[in-house]
Amino acid sequence: MAHDENATPSTRPWTTALVLVSVVALGFVVAGLVLPSPDPELTTTPPASSGAEQADPAATETPIVVDEPVDHDAPIPGCEVVEVPDESGYTAFAGSGEPPTYDNPEFPWFNGPKATAMSAALARALPARADITFASPRQSFIFQPITSFNAPAPEPRGSTYAGGELINGDARGSVSVDVERSSLTIPPCVAGQLDERRTLRDGVVVDLHDTWQEVDGIRTLTRTARAYVADGSWITARASDATGANQQDRSGSVPLSIDDLVRIVDDPGLRVSAPVAPGTPTPIEHCESPFESYKGTPVTREEARELDAVLASVDLGGARLPPMVPVGPPAEGMLCTGVADLGDGVAMDITIIGGQPRPSGERPVPGRGSPKTLRALSDGTVVQTDVVWQSRSSTTDPRDQIRETTHFVVVTRPTGTRISVSSTADSPAEPMSVQELEQIALTPGLEL
């Protein structure tokens, strides 16, 4: 799939680790304020002066942030002592390293099968009447790899995250769950950071907070439960009325009650010491292209399942395609699936999106033997093909260069549905042929 109608698709858009944060630099620093820093999208640029002197285009107005008022002298149920919050300002922590994976040696309690088991436990803990919004796997309550941060602590700090958007009756909003292992003691009760501290029957301590915050007059409702378990599990569940891809909309109703959140954080299946059944797989792969933005028509879960039924007829030599899932932001309306290894390391990916324009002719690329082709079929379908060769350093010996070949076929139907099928392999293996990929892309019924 291409960013525009003439661009070449990026190779291997699939990632195997449901990456929450991609670290593309050698290091990164994360900093926070006692009062949350404003969302960049909520800042506004001052209007230009009517005089000769114009306002600095880079200057922005600071958003007006209003928190729920706090009575520092009020008692908190379950707390013998209530401390005044620290108003010192910034807290910061830094980290560095490769993009997170499920097999991070810094966190031996967590891996792919553990993430799958925790995701299943979370799904069971959600209210039975609630519906998860159809979204990419990392926004479908599947636990992500852990990103490690170098924070002042006696052990590596980092948590696994799962979240998404939930519809529960008339309420709709975002829900997230974070799990980490910590040897720290339970923190003190601080005014404004919790409304109640409960000690459950199994000895689990849970802090509860039901609050709101306004940014430029827009109020967000938030409920939080954080559990401290004897095995070192710190489990935090949050629910808010924020909705939409950029969390800019507000429904006015939080989809989970305080008791719902308590039930989630007290679930034994989310604890770091919970056993994992033998044979548990790693979470499903998800595909996304973080450097390109696709805009298509909205796709429902039912439409995706219909496409799955069509793709079930594709012969992949015994391999089976996983269910189609939405591509994560910034893409909109795109579905994807694929197989990481069809044998000999040959991979195959499929993406489908609707509402696309008819492609135009492409110019040959100098020095590449002009492998691109474009032709129109009798029914108005446009078929594009391309072959890309590239080299990369071996992970075992950087001096060794590995040649990678990718074959692409992009089919655009008269209805605006665009199907991209690609296959990649490292030499001496060969990817699926362009003819095989074209046959898949032209499968009757692949329409949005």
Side-chain angles (χ1 to χ4, degrees):
M1 207 63 182
H3 177 65
D4 59 40
E5 60 197 35
N6 296 325
T8 298
S10 58
T11 61
R12 289 296 296 158
W14 279 71
T15 58
T16 60
L18 298 178
V19 177
L20 177 63
V21 180
S22 294
V23 184
V24 296
L26 293 178
F28 53 86
V29 176
V30 181
L33 285 168
V34 172
L35 291 180
S37 59
D39 188 320
E41 296 189 7
L42 298 180
T43 60
T44 56
T45 302
S49 171
S50 57
E53 182 179 351
Q54 299 295 315
D56 182 356
T60 58
E61 295 179 355
T62 302
I64 299 174
V65 180
V66 179
D67 288 293
E68 181 182 26
V70 176
D71 182 357
H72 292 170
D73 297 324
I76 296 177
C79 298
E80 295 183 1
V81 177
V82 178
E83 297 186 0
V84 176
D86 180 9
E87 303 289 350
S88 59
Y90 284 95
T91 58
F93 48 91
S96 62
E98 297 297 322
T101 71
Y102 279 115
D103 297 314
N104 189 332
E106 289 189 288
F107 306 98
W109 66 271
F110 187 72
N111 55 26
K114 176 69 171 176
T116 297
M118 292 173 59
S119 302
L122 176 56
R124 292 191 297 267
L126 294 173
R129 62 187 180 277
D131 292 324
I132 298 173
T133 301
F134 188 49
S136 65
R138 77 176 183 187
Q139 289 299 320
S140 298
F141 296 91
I142 296 176
F143 280 93
Q144 314 276 301
I146 296 178
T147 299
S148 176
F149 297 103
N150 296 327
E155 59 188 350
R157 293 297 305 274
S159 62
T160 176
Y161 157 93
E165 193 168 299
L166 205 65
I167 303 172
N168 191 3
D170 295 331
R172 181 174 188 145
S174 298
V175 176
S176 65
V177 178
D178 294 87
V179 179
E180 66 175 303
R181 184 172 67 181
S182 177
S183 61
L184 301 177
T185 59
I186 297 175
C189 296
V190 178
Q193 296 182 10
L194 71 161
D195 303 320
E196 179 187 358
R197 173 165 284 180
R198 295 183 188 177
T199 300
L200 307 183
R201 288 177 298 178
D202 55 1
V204 175
V205 176
V206 181
D207 287 348
L208 307 173
H209 199 201
D210 192 342
T211 188
W212 56 264
Q213 183 186 75
E214 288 184 357
V215 179
D216 286 343
I218 299 176
R219 178 171 292 194
T220 302
L221 309 176
T222 306
R223 292 173 182 154
T224 305
R226 169 173 283 188
Y228 307 98
V229 189
D231 68 350
S233 301
W234 284 20
I235 305 170
T236 304
R238 299 181 182 87
S240 77
D241 67 339
T243 66
N246 296 318
Q247 302 286 283
Q248 296 301 303
D249 299 323
R250 303 293 180 268
S251 69
S253 299
V254 181
L256 294 180
S257 68
I258 285 291
D259 288 340
D260 289 331
L261 296 173
V262 171
R263 187 180 62 255
I264 290 171
V265 298
D266 189 40
D267 192 296
L270 295 179
R271 298 176 185 177
V272 299
S273 61
V276 178
T280 300
T282 59
I284 63 172
E285 296 178 342
H286 81 284
C287 46
E288 71 176 309
S289 180
F291 306 110
E292 296 173 306
S293 178
Y294 302 90
K295 305 296 181 182
T297 54
V299 183
T300 66
R301 184 178 281 107
E302 291 71 24
E303 288 175 314
R305 300 294 78 83
E306 290 174 2
L307 292 172
D308 289 339
V310 174
L311 289 172
S313 64
V314 174
D315 183 8
L316 295 176
R320 299 182 61 182
L321 285 167
M324 298 211 81
V325 295
V327 175
E332 295 179 9
M334 175 179 287
L335 298 172
C336 55
T337 186
V339 178
D341 190 353
L342 294 170
D344 295 329
V346 177
M348 192 269 288
D349 301 317
I350 301 175
T351 60
I352 301 177
I353 188 171
Q356 301 305 295
R358 179 185 174 89
S360 62
E362 298 197 27
R363 297 178 180 177
V365 179
R368 286 186 51 194
S370 303
K372 294 184 178 181
T373 70
L374 181 148
R375 74 183 195 278
L377 305 184
S378 59
D379 64 352
T381 297
V382 177
V383 180
Q384 299 167 275
T385 69
D386 196 5
V387 178
V388 173
W389 302 278
Q390 60 184 15
S391 296
R392 69 175 191 276
S393 298
S394 170
T395 56
T396 56
D397 187 348
R399 296 171 297 180
D400 292 340
Q401 294 295 304
I402 298 176
R403 178 184 172 92
E404 181 183 82
T405 303
T406 303
H407 293 166
F408 295 98
V409 172
V410 179
V411 167
T412 305
R413 301 285 194 180
T415 58
T417 298
R418 184 170 291 171
I419 305 105
S420 172
V421 187
S422 64
S423 181
T424 302
D426 294 340
S427 179
E430 287 292 329
M432 296 175 65
S433 69
V434 169
Q435 292 72 24
E436 291 174 308
L437 301 179
E438 184 175 317
Q439 184 177 4
I440 295 172
L442 291 172
T443 300
L446 289 183
E447 294 273 0
L448 281 176

